Amino acid sequence: MNSTMSASMLPLGNITTNSSLCTVEPQHVSITVFLLLVFLVGFFLNSFSLWVFCCRIPQWSSGAVLQFHLAVSDAIITPVAPFMATYFVMGSHWPFGAFLCKLKIALLIIHFYGSILFLTLISIHRYMAVVQFKQGSRMKRKAFVQKLCAGVWLVLLAKGIACFSFLNTSQVGNRTQCLSIHQRDYIDTYFAINFVLLILGFLMPFSVAVTCYVQIARSVSRININTFKGRGIKAKSRKMVAMCLVIFGLCFMPLNVIRTVAVVLKKYFPEQCILLQVETAYYFSWILAGANCCLDPLLYCFGSHNFVKAIHGSLRKFDVKFKEDPATNDQISYNAAIDSPSIVLEHKENIHIQHSNTS
């Protein structure tokens, strides 16, 4: 990129004398294009998902409650996208003032780590429904899940307020920077916040989610029957597990890893102009993280048969008809199993009985 080439050719006059820092470089226009594209698609998908939850599903299960709050956390980032795009178009210059900068940072934190927390809760809920289906759990109770979601929003609000209070704009050369690695006055704050978010906001939830989905995969792998229904349930569960792990690994891991590298370089190796390349990679990781807004609606289709039924019912009003086939029935069977632990038990008992008869 131009920023990399120019960084390698910088004369000493463009480097600050006190710490040999490389100058701020404008980011490539592709970052702006992809950023707007991702958030625009995510806005329409999540707006449609929220409409389905609010207007087309009269009674929510505990799983639907978690999915609704995940959709809200995805939609909350939408107002920030135009400001971020303008920031990049103007050459990494923030013209909107300190308040909107602080609000942008708070909403980004709430969005990214809200999505991670609700995805983790969904993984725990599915673990209890599929693996621990014979045992009672508060995660299967709608009232408890609603209180749990309220608690998550309080934690997210506290994180957002903390970032709103501690972070601000800075003048770097002739540019006003907002949430930039070049804000040397905030590098210690960025360093501390990063590791808190990395450990508590990503690594711990990611470990819990992976553990849950590994157990789900093992449980479903024991369903060994020769019927089409059994194969459909296994295939659907594998797709759901794969989608959740892809969201964690593709969307959120690069953001946390690259940001950690960036703050370490800025704090301990500020004279290295490779920081400019890491900064560009960091902004691309924002795009990957924002892509979870586009992928999460697929989870609602995998995880809630009421959501799928509501979509089908809405499209039928526009004379869009669906051809019935055995795969559709298997999809509904698996989605219903996720929504209802009792149906999981029924499926597993029937599967084991059929397997014994075939033997």
Side-chain angles (χ1 to χ4, degrees):
M1 284 191 177
N2 294 334
S3 59
T4 304
M5 296 176 59
S6 58
S8 62
M9 300 172 61
L10 283 175
L12 294 177
N14 287 338
I15 301 178
T16 55
T17 56
N18 57 346
S19 57
S20 298
L21 294 177
C22 297
T23 59
V24 181
E25 292 289 334
Q27 296 299 318
H28 197 274
V29 67
S30 61
I31 292 181
T32 304
V33 174
F34 284 119
L35 183 72
L36 288 176
L37 180 62
V38 164
F39 283 112
L40 183 64
V41 173
F43 169 73
F44 284 112
L45 289 177
N46 284 284
S47 297
F48 178 73
S49 299
L50 290 172
W51 174 78
V52 171
F53 280 120
C54 295
C55 302
R56 305 301 300 172
I57 302 179
Q59 294 183 343
W60 292 358
S61 63
S62 55
V65 172
L66 291 172
Q67 293 163 7
F68 170 78
H69 285 278
L70 175 60
V72 173
S73 69
D74 287 341
I76 203 172
I77 195 61
T78 303
V80 175
F83 295 98
M84 293 171 60
T86 304
Y87 176 72
F88 292 125
V89 167
M90 297 187 66
S92 299
H93 172 69
W94 183 264
F96 304 110
F99 176 81
L100 287 179
C101 172
K102 295 154 77 74
L103 182 62
K104 181 201 82 168
I105 296 172
L107 290 179
L108 282 173
I109 294 297
I110 292 173
H111 161 65
F112 288 144
Y113 294 95
S115 296
I116 290 174
L117 287 177
F118 285 117
L119 280 170
T120 304
L121 290 179
I122 288 173
S123 69
I124 296 172
H125 178 268
R126 288 171 174 167
Y127 169 81
M128 299 306 302
V130 176
V131 181
Q132 304 292 336
F133 60 94
K134 290 184 178 180
Q135 302 178 10
S137 171
R138 291 184 177 181
M139 287 296 294
K140 302 172 186 177
R141 303 174 188 173
K142 179 180 174 181
F144 173 78
V145 171
Q146 289 174 329
K147 295 178 182 178
L148 187 61
C149 291
V152 170
W153 282 112
L154 288 176
V155 171
L156 294 173
L157 184 61
K159 288 182 179 180
I161 292 175
C163 292
F164 186 94
S165 302
F166 293 132
L167 302 177
N168 206 333
T169 58
S170 294
Q171 197 70 23
V172 181
N174 59 351
R175 294 182 176 94
T176 301
Q177 299 278 287
C178 175
L179 194 60
S180 169
I181 195 64
H182 296 286
Q183 294 176 270
R184 184 163 179 79
D185 293 342
Y186 288 103
I187 186 57
D188 291 332
T189 305
Y190 285 151
F191 190 85
I193 291 177
N194 170 75
F195 280 95
V196 170
L197 294 176
L198 176 66
I199 296 172
L200 300 181
F202 175 72
L203 291 180
M204 290 180 62
F206 179 62
S207 300
V208 172
V210 169
T211 301
C212 290
Y213 285 122
V214 167
Q215 293 300 319
I216 291 173
R218 287 179 178 176
S219 178
V220 176
S221 67
R222 291 194 288 268
I223 302 176
N224 294 316
I225 62 173
N226 296 323
T227 65
F228 192 79
K229 179 181 289 187
R231 292 195 298 271
I233 292 174
K234 290 180 66 174
K236 199 66 179 179
S237 66
R238 288 169 179 168
K239 291 178 182 178
M240 180 191 67
V241 170
M243 179 58 64
C244 290
L245 295 181
V246 163
I247 292 174
F248 268 104
L250 178 65
C251 297
F252 296 118
M253 185 176 292
L255 174 70
N256 287 274
V257 171
I258 295 174
R259 188 186 60 216
T260 301
V261 172
V263 296
V264 170
L265 283 175
K266 181 67 176 180
K267 185 174 178 64
Y268 295 107
F269 307 98
E271 72 282 355
Q272 299 296 324
C273 286
I274 193 176
L275 183 64
L276 296 174
Q277 301 175 12
V278 175
E279 181 185 20
T280 299
Y282 174 57
Y283 290 136
F284 271 112
S285 74
W286 277 13
I287 298 171
L288 290 176
N292 83 95
C293 299
C294 306
L295 296 177
D296 285 343
L298 296 178
L299 291 179
Y300 313 146
C301 297
F302 289 148
S304 174
H305 100 282
N306 288 330
F307 188 86
V308 176
K309 284 175 61 179
I311 293 177
H312 286 186
S314 300
L315 294 179
R316 286 193 185 100
K317 293 184 177 181
F318 298 96
D319 294 329
V320 179
K321 297 181 180 180
F322 299 88
K323 182 180 179 180
E324 295 293 335
D325 54 49
T328 301
N329 294 330
D330 290 331
Q331 174 178 337
I332 293 177
S333 297
Y334 177 73
N335 288 337
I338 293 298
D339 286 340
S340 174
S342 62
I343 296 179
V344 175
L345 177 59
E346 179 183 348
H347 278 305
K348 289 195 173 184
E349 288 178 345
N350 289 340
I351 288 168
H352 286 300
I353 291 173
Q354 293 175 23
H355 180 59
S356 299
N357 291 339
T358 56
S359 300

